[in-house]
Amino acid sequence: MPTRLEFAAGPPLGCHRRRIPDRIVFEHLVLALVHGSGYERLSSPGCSDRTIRRRLKERATQGISEVVHAIALQVYDRMIGLELSGISVDGCITKAPCGGECAGRSPVDRGKQGLKRSLASDGSGVPIGLVAAGANRHDSPLLGPTLEAAIGQMGPLPEDVNVNLDRGYDNNKSRTLLRELGFTGEIARKGVPAPIQAGKRWTVERTHPWMNGYGKLRRCTERNGAVVEFYLHLAATLVTLRMLIRRSTSRYRWDGRPATRRLK
């Protein structure tokens, strides 16, 4: 990251305006992610809403959240170990009332603007790949970009990878794509009741509610695609860290270790 000066460069009339620390702005961004409130409501005497928007756009352009997500995945893999032999991919539609670059007509919300989140998780539900698109996009065409995003975050995947998919991916294009990547696929068949062929994709279906626990993702009001990607990767980072803490309590001991499974 570039070096930041304590005071703004080139102040008018010789005045000096102290730069707001990045940590304070980041705390406001986390509040915006968790509660989904407007920046005017989250602003404080030490950090205005204009500063939050300006710093958010700057960080989103730099791709900071993607880097932080990759670091969290590396730490999780080193301490717990990612289960990359069985990857699950699924999509989720949420609201996007303000439209934007990643929004589209939602087929499940009377044609209102919505956002589709295509997510790939490992065998335990850790999010390793994310793609944002319009709600009118089908899950099947997003399979390739989602797996590419997972490979970009994790690097080369193991050779014996099995991808678990639901019936929305039951077509020749999905099978051809998995064959080209060298993966095997366990795809639910169309016309067969879901309980009979539930498979192992329940992990990603559990991760989606974890992601929807953040207000900014349930009802995304951002129009800039880079900002939407910023919040998606930031939420994935927090989900990864929560799983890391929860699974580390039974493996490691440290001062301040949580005494209960519920994390605040």
Side-chain angles (χ1 to χ4, degrees):
M1 293 186 55
T3 305
R4 301 296 181 183
L5 300 177
E6 184 179 0
F7 296 94
L13 303 178
C15 301
H16 294 279
R17 179 169 56 86
R18 189 181 300 274
R19 178 182 173 84
I20 298 177
D22 291 335
R23 181 177 182 84
I24 295 179
V25 180
F26 178 74
E27 292 175 353
H28 285 74
L29 292 178
V30 173
L31 290 176
L33 171 66
V34 173
H35 300 290
S37 303
Y39 301 116
E40 294 83 357
R41 296 194 175 192
L42 296 174
S43 61
S44 61
C47 185
S48 65
D49 58 302
R50 296 182 61 184
T51 300
I52 298 174
R53 290 191 179 94
R54 183 174 60 252
R55 206 75 64 87
L56 170 62
K57 187 176 181 179
E58 179 182 353
R59 294 293 181 265
T61 305
Q62 295 173 351
I64 298 298
S65 61
E66 290 86 342
V67 177
V68 174
H69 184 206
I71 295 175
L73 290 175
Q74 293 175 5
V75 174
Y76 185 94
D77 191 21
R78 182 178 302 178
M79 297 184 64
I80 306 299
L82 290 169
E83 302 175 14
L84 298 178
S85 59
I87 296 178
S88 300
V89 181
D90 195 11
C92 177
I93 296 178
T94 56
K95 294 180 178 294
C98 297
E101 299 176 358
C102 297
R105 291 175 58 86
S106 176
V108 297
D109 195 15
R110 296 172 292 174
K112 296 181 180 179
Q113 292 295 302
L115 175 70
K116 170 160 286 189
R117 176 180 68 248
S118 181
L119 187 146
S121 69
D122 76 332
S124 59
V126 179
I128 60 176
L130 291 162
V131 170
N136 55 344
R137 294 287 303 277
H138 196 269
D139 289 343
S140 180
L142 298 177
L143 176 61
T146 306
L147 293 177
E148 292 177 0
I151 295 174
Q153 290 287 77
M154 300 303 306
L157 297 177
E159 297 181 357
D160 54 342
V161 174
N162 183 66
V163 183
N164 304 285
L165 305 169
D166 62 10
R167 68 185 66 182
Y169 302 88
D170 186 14
N171 52 63
N172 293 329
K173 291 184 178 180
S174 299
R175 293 185 176 87
T176 302
L177 174 63
L178 296 178
R179 196 179 307 111
E180 292 176 353
L181 295 176
F183 302 156
T184 59
E186 185 176 344
I187 306 176
R189 295 287 182 176
K190 296 180 180 179
V192 181
I196 299 178
Q197 50 176 353
K200 302 177 182 178
R201 67 179 186 276
W202 64 270
T203 54
V204 68
E205 295 175 354
R206 180 186 61 177
T207 305
H208 277 303
W210 289 345
M211 299 282 287
N212 289 336
Y214 297 97
K216 183 64 73 173
L217 302 189
R218 288 195 308 270
R219 189 174 182 272
C220 183
T221 56
E222 303 294 339
R223 299 179 57 86
N224 192 329
V227 175
V228 174
E229 295 281 352
F230 175 87
Y231 279 119
L232 284 178
H233 285 278
L234 181 58
T237 302
L238 297 180
V239 170
T240 303
L241 293 178
R242 288 174 64 91
M243 293 188 66
L244 174 62
I245 296 174
R246 179 170 296 174
R247 301 191 68 179
S248 296
T249 53
S250 60
R251 292 174 171 84
Y252 304 98
R253 296 292 183 270
W254 68 90
D255 295 337
R257 184 172 67 95
T260 61
R261 291 182 57 85
R262 179 166 182 155
L263 302 177
K264 298 182 179 180

